[in-house]
Amino acid sequence: MDDQLARLNRLPLRDDLRGQHPYGAPQLDVPIQLNVNENTHGVPEEVQEAIVDAVRSVASGLNRYPDREFTQLRTALAEYLGHGLVPEQLWAANGSNEVLQQILQAFGGPGRSALGFPPTYSMYPLLAAGTGTAYLKGVRADDFELTAGSAARQVRDLAPNVVFLCSPNNPTGTALGLDVVEAVYEAGEASQAVVIVDEAYAEFAHADTESALALLPGRTRLVVTRTMSKAFALAGARLGYLAAAPEVVDALRLVRLPYHLSAITQATALAALRHRESLMAEVEEIKHQRDRIVKELERMGLEPASSDSNFVFFSGLEDPQRIWKGLLDAGVIVRDVGIPGSLRVTAGTAYETTAFLTRLEELLAAEGRLPVA
Ligand SMILES: Cc1ncc(COP(=O)(O)O)c(C=O)c1O
């Protein structure tokens, strides 16, 4: 990596990109992959078939550019989200990462700033760097909570142009109350901050957790981002989207590349939306495995955070690196997010979750923390 950095530095690279590291979650060939919060339950066969049929039906027209406005997809997404949304309020791109990048291209950029509240999604600072936006690091309480009062005060003090609220938060998994979103929006009035609520994991939330979609009416600077990478098991297809005021969508048209959403992506997303029943059944099973992980980790004397997502962040480890390596040696990869005493694990299938829990318990027992199972 150092050699690579030295080589990069000999290039006429933008000064603000020097010394930056690319996104780099390990992509290892490991049997049980619980490290990047993918949907571990795979694409149901019925959905696979619908996608193949949909892609076949557009294949003969691939000599033409796709529908630049992806009207059919925006209509289907508006219908899926409900909340009285209309297609003019929907926008999509190649993953919510690209949606977030477009928001920064339009509302951030040189001389402007974006505020995030670490620990949070690791791409926010990278997207800020790529668009020449200054990234401001807000603070959370010691238990990673973010209250309405604290968040609003920081927004007033720092006067950012863009605010990232990740709910449920990655890597901690906990959702924000809508009071936080409301308070941040109000506090952002002075700097006219665009407030992004990143709801990548919304479908995994507990029944009483509300979506910020409910707050969209009357709030022109509020943007709610979603993705089909998680609940819809389509991380490989790359389809992220947002709901916001129609004028926000108009602003994004100024920065998107022409025809950025391929006909294949549009057809794939539409097919998955049409077959969402079987996908949502899998979501319920993933939530069950997540709740099982939380319960089992508590039993082992660890401290799992409350999770509204498809992953669990847990603390109370003496040596997380050793546990990470011990799990990897047994063919299970989880994520070390660099927070002392902690790791993050994605909810797997019943088999994968059992393998993770069993190996973890053995490793803790070897440390003398648990009676041997
Ligand atoms: C909080 C959060 N937002 C956005 C994304 C990006 O997802 P995608 O670009 O696949 O839609 C992720 C991916 O892990 C995430 O954790």
Side-chain angles (χ1 to χ4, degrees), residues 65-282:
Y65 285 112
D67 173 10
R68 199 170 46 209
E69 288 294 314
F70 43 99
T71 313
Q72 226 188 324
L73 178 57
R74 287 162 67 207
T75 305
L77 288 169
E79 189 252 323
Y80 166 65
L81 289 182
H83 289 267
L85 291 164
V86 293
E88 291 71 24
Q89 292 180 268
L90 271 290
W91 187 251
N94 296 282
S96 51
N97 281 324
E98 190 181 61
V99 172
L100 296 171
Q101 183 179 52
Q102 290 178 347
I103 298 169
L104 287 178
Q105 285 177 312
F107 299 105
R112 293 190 167 207
S113 63
L115 170 65
F117 294 93
T120 192
Y121 182 40
S122 60
M123 277 305 295
Y124 299 154
L126 293 180
L127 292 165
T131 56
T133 311
Y135 186 69
L136 308 174
K137 291 183 182 168
V139 293
R140 291 172 182 263
D142 288 346
D143 60 358
F144 307 122
E145 279 291 309
L146 185 62
T147 63
S150 161
R153 189 169 9 83
Q154 296 180 62
V155 170
R156 270 193 299 274
D157 290 350
L158 296 166
N161 303 97
V162 175
V163 182
F164 290 108
L165 294 175
C166 191
S167 180
N169 188 46
N170 182 2
T172 49
T174 316
L176 289 172
L178 292 194
D179 60 321
V180 181
V181 180
E182 282 177 291
V184 163
Y185 188 86
E186 303 256 303
E189 176 72 29
S191 59
Q192 284 292 291
V194 169
V195 177
I196 304 169
V197 186
D198 179 348
E199 293 191 349
Y201 301 94
E203 287 90 346
F204 300 100
H206 293 281
D208 56 354
T209 301
E210 282 182 285
S211 163
L213 291 171
L215 298 179
L216 282 174
R219 291 185 177 85
T220 320
R221 294 177 285 105
L222 183 63
V223 179
V224 180
T225 59
R226 294 278 186 106
T227 181
M228 294 184 79
S229 295
K230 313 293 178 180
F232 282 84
L234 286 184
R238 313 304 300 129
L239 196 288
Y241 56 102
L242 63 72
E247 48 268 53
V248 170
V249 171
D250 287 340
L252 300 183
R253 281 195 184 88
L254 301 174
V255 297
R256 63 98 182 270
L257 294 174
Y259 316 106
H260 67 289
L261 216 50
S262 84
I264 290 172
T265 308
Q266 294 182 40
T268 301
L270 275 165
L273 281 161
R274 275 196 295 270
H275 289 81
R276 58 178 172 261
E277 223 165 88
S278 52
L279 287 157
M280 291 309 138
E282 302 276 292

